[in-house]
Amino acid sequence: QPAELLASGADGFHQFVHPDDLRRAYAIVTALLAEEARAQEEIRCVGRDGQLIWIGLEIQSSHTSAEGLLIHGTASDITAQKRSEEEYRQLQVRLQRSERMRSLGQLAGGVAHEFNNQLANVLFFVESVKKGRLNQDQLSRYADLLHTGARRTADLTQKLLDFARHGSPKPEVFDLHHV
């Protein structure tokens, strides 16, 4: 209980404080004992049942002529608040992960659309060649279009591979009228 932590005094509080927060707790007490000081801290404690308890401390030390150094303050159980904060943080992480997955889905859809367009061009060209519909000029023009499409598809594939490897994007200058 928070009251037990304060009542245990400077010598006994170590039995309640979580081992990972013990050094910081000693630093707080040392500062309060050395001079008039005020501390507002959150530390982890271990309950009698072994459960983690978060304690919010507001402690002040002051010198009085009658009692010498007086340390007084409040300790509040903030475990529920800390749990809520952790749940909120976990929800934020899940939301970010979900947003990344949605973005990846949109990216995959765009990539699939681009590849599908290029494959449709290839299929059209192959069907036209098979049926003998193209003269030499048309063959040359379609071959150039297929070559350009294959280059764009290869560039897109390379960008995807760079993205997958967390590579840095390569800046590229292009004319928006030709996109």
Side-chain angles (χ1 to χ4, degrees):
Q1 296 295 328
E4 291 179 71
L5 176 64
L6 291 178
S8 64
D11 296 327
F13 77 94
H14 67 276
Q15 64 186 330
F16 297 105
V17 176
H18 189 279
D20 293 343
D21 287 355
L22 201 52
R23 181 172 289 166
R24 191 165 53 89
Y26 275 120
I28 295 166
V29 170
T30 301
L32 289 169
L33 292 174
E35 60 187 338
E36 288 191 11
R38 166 173 256 155
Q40 186 172 1
E41 296 285 336
E42 296 175 349
I43 62 170
R44 292 171 292 176
C45 294
V46 180
R48 287 189 191 130
D49 58 359
Q51 292 292 318
L52 179 70
I53 302 169
W54 278 94
I55 302 293
L57 296 173
E58 290 188 37
I59 307 171
Q60 182 174 339
S61 62
S62 56
H63 290 282
T64 63
S65 58
E67 292 135 5
L69 179 67
L70 176 65
I71 297 178
H72 55 94
T74 60
S76 304
D77 185 345
I78 58 170
T79 305
Q81 173 189 337
K82 287 298 201 175
R83 283 187 185 137
S84 293
E85 289 171 2
E86 179 60 22
E87 287 173 12
Y88 178 77
R89 188 193 64 76
Q90 288 177 4
L91 286 172
Q92 287 293 104
V93 168
R94 286 176 49 199
L95 176 62
Q96 290 170 353
R97 191 176 303 132
S98 174
E99 288 173 349
R100 280 194 307 265
M101 292 303 291
R102 188 185 67 202
S103 294
L104 284 173
Q106 289 175 340
L107 175 65
V111 169
H113 183 73
E114 184 66 28
F115 276 103
N116 193 42
N117 287 344
Q118 297 306 322
L119 288 173
N121 290 338
V122 170
L123 291 172
F124 176 77
F125 178 72
V126 169
E127 285 297 318
S128 296
V129 168
K130 283 172 66 177
K131 293 182 179 180
R133 294 185 191 160
L134 302 176
N135 61 36
Q136 190 60 38
D137 286 340
Q138 289 173 319
L139 280 172
S140 179
R141 189 167 53 103
Y142 280 129
D144 288 343
L145 288 173
L146 286 176
H147 184 263
T148 301
R151 278 278 124 227
R152 284 183 60 200
T153 304
D155 289 345
L156 179 59
T157 301
Q158 185 59 51
K159 288 176 184 176
L160 287 172
L161 290 172
D162 289 344
F163 177 75
R165 293 184 194 117
H166 303 290
S168 56
K170 297 174 188 153
E172 180 181 334
V173 177
F174 58 91
D175 185 351
L176 286 175
H177 297 289
H178 296 289
V179 175

